Amino acid sequence: MLYAILSQDIEDSLKKRQSARPAHIQRLQDLQDQGRLIIAGPHPAIDSNTPGDAGFTGSLVIAEFSSLAEAQNWADVEPYLAAGVYSKVTVKPFKQVFPQ
């Protein structure tokens, strides 16, 4: 089943994001290599794909896991969470309707 992992950043998270980014990207690459990643990316703090110093306000990952518990366990060891980038992480089942 698919699960949405919605994360909210702390204020001024950019420096912490930058330091933890390699480990974060590696975990997403692992999911992609396993064919389980649907989409992943950050939410820019401003209306721009390149927000610069404005940074980001959070992230979204939609991926396949065998259960809600497995998805939650994956989210619980996220490098951005360990680095203090995220103030809140929510994991929810997700039903993809489009694209088919």
Side-chain angles (χ1 to χ4, degrees):
M1 180 164 188
L2 296 179
Y3 295 88
I5 302 169
L6 301 151
S7 305
Q8 184 173 338
D9 281 23
I10 62 166
E11 291 287 325
D12 300 317
S13 63
L14 189 58
K15 288 186 193 287
K16 288 183 178 185
R17 267 185 172 269
Q18 291 168 334
S19 66
R21 189 171 193 273
H24 169 77
I25 293 298
Q26 183 58 57
R27 293 182 80 229
L28 294 173
Q29 185 65 56
D30 291 346
L31 280 180
Q32 182 173 327
D33 292 348
Q34 296 164 15
R36 297 169 45 199
L37 183 64
I38 304 303
I39 194 166
H43 302 285
I46 60 173
D47 191 13
S48 173
N49 279 328
T50 53
D53 290 340
F56 302 93
T57 62
S59 301
L60 169 65
V61 174
I62 298 178
E64 185 177 344
F65 293 93
S66 63
S67 66
L68 179 58
E70 182 189 2
Q72 185 66 59
N73 288 339
W74 187 89
D76 287 346
V77 294
E78 164 59 47
Y80 280 171
L81 188 61
V85 174
Y86 293 153
S87 63
K88 181 179 179 182
V89 177
T90 303
V91 180
K92 301 162 68 164
F94 179 79
K95 181 181 175 185
Q96 183 175 350
V97 176
F98 288 99
Q100 296 182 3

